[in-house]
Amino acid sequence: MLILLPPSERKADVRAGRRLDLTRLSLPELNPARERVLDALVAVAGTPDTDVVREVLLTSAQRDDIARNARLRRAATAPAAALYTGVLYEALDLATLPTPALRAARRQVLVSSGLWGAVRLTDRIPPYKCPLPLTLPGPGALGAYWKRALAPVLESAAADGPILDLRSATYAATWTPRGDLARRTVTVRVLHEREVDGVVTRSVVSHFNKATKGRLVRDLLTAGVRPRNADDLVTAVRDLKYTVLEEEPGAAGRPRRLDVVVTAL
């Protein structure tokens, strides 16, 4: 099984560790594309009086993030498993996984990234700020840039097993499984259920969505689930006592979507 996760905006403060070495990252086929984005991001951050910084980076980050981007090549690194610290990763709580589950996570999980394309949990990377909607001189719009680079790499990483795609819409747009891969793919939408004036309503709430996806991955890994196909994966989610309202598959060649209903964390 391949599990696709989004990154988190929040990242650990890494003060010590070896410097970035792209040759040590997994999915080495992405390194030429990574180099180009890294060069462009470092250059932009090193000349902060630019439209990119003013219009994008400064609206979503502190100046410290820009300074950090400027020294990415010489910055200390940490495994992605320790670097990403947002709501989803807090719920996943990789540090406390039993050893067999952690080994499975290292094999199965890929984290999307506007800077790296995709990384495994063991890949050592520095804290960075590179939102996917960003357009950089050279690579251009990063969403379209990674869409071109990621397809053959992720198709290979998926091999013959099912895919659990928990990426946000922004990152999901960088690679859409097609054909047989789509039939093997399951996406999840988390709906928060509550009663308002006697009427039950369901809606997507960001915090519940991220936390539930993190807990779902943790539960699947801890249970040692080894689905052979999308049907097995859906059955495993139900067996873990998640309330699932399964959506009918869309047009041919589209991934299967599950609506998971939660009332509280």
Side-chain angles (χ1 to χ4, degrees):
M1 175 170 61
L2 177 65
I3 301 172
L4 300 176
L5 298 182
S8 66
E9 287 296 314
R10 199 171 75 212
K11 300 175 182 70
D13 185 15
V14 181
R15 296 184 179 274
R18 65 171 180 252
R19 292 185 180 182
L20 175 67
D21 183 351
L22 290 181
T23 66
R24 290 176 175 265
L25 298 186
S26 57
L27 309 177
E29 306 93 326
L30 293 176
N31 280 346
R34 289 165 172 160
E35 285 276 9
R36 195 175 182 204
V37 177
L38 181 60
D39 283 344
L41 188 63
V42 169
V44 165
T47 53
D49 188 25
T50 65
D51 288 343
V52 172
V53 170
R54 287 194 300 269
E55 295 179 10
V56 180
L57 295 180
L58 282 179
T59 63
S60 60
Q62 300 298 319
R63 292 184 181 275
D64 286 350
D65 292 318
I66 298 170
R68 202 175 291 121
N69 280 352
R71 56 179 184 270
L72 280 171
R73 287 196 177 274
R74 60 183 187 277
T77 63
L83 185 74
Y84 295 114
T85 59
V87 173
L88 186 153
Y89 292 89
E90 286 182 343
L92 176 51
D93 198 6
L94 288 157
T96 65
L97 280 177
T99 299
L102 183 58
R103 287 175 181 160
R106 290 169 175 168
R107 292 193 308 269
Q108 297 174 3
V109 172
L110 284 179
V111 181
S112 294
S113 168
L115 176 52
W116 318 111
V119 293
R120 294 197 185 277
L121 296 173
T122 52
D123 287 331
R124 296 187 66 95
I125 52 178
Y128 65 95
K129 187 74 173 184
C130 188
L132 195 59
L134 185 62
T135 297
L136 289 171
L142 292 184
Y145 178 83
W146 285 118
K147 190 170 186 177
R148 295 188 294 271
L150 282 171
V153 178
L154 295 188
E155 286 169 8
S156 176
D160 298 323
I163 302 167
L164 178 60
D165 189 353
L166 301 178
R167 296 173 296 169
S168 58
T170 300
Y171 288 93
T174 62
W175 180 58
T176 304
R178 304 289 185 188
D180 178 60
L181 282 172
R183 288 188 289 274
R184 292 192 269 127
T185 299
V186 176
T187 66
V188 173
R189 181 176 67 167
V190 178
L191 298 176
H192 179 216
E193 182 176 276
R194 60 194 181 116
E195 187 173 319
V196 180
D197 296 330
V199 178
V200 174
T201 65
R202 293 173 179 150
S203 60
V204 177
V205 178
S206 178
H207 183 82
F208 282 87
N209 179 58
K210 294 174 182 177
T212 302
K213 287 179 177 179
R215 287 193 295 110
L216 174 59
V217 174
R218 182 181 179 86
D219 289 344
L220 289 167
L221 293 169
T222 302
V225 172
R226 295 184 179 181
R228 295 167 299 175
N229 50 47
D231 287 336
D232 285 354
L233 179 52
V234 173
T235 298
V237 173
R238 293 185 186 276
D239 287 346
L240 288 168
K241 307 306 179 185
Y242 284 86
T243 302
V244 174
L245 304 177
E246 185 174 349
E247 291 287 309
E248 291 294 325
R254 292 184 60 185
R256 189 169 179 174
R257 192 185 83 194
L258 300 184
D259 283 350
V260 173
V261 179
V262 297
T263 55
L265 292 180

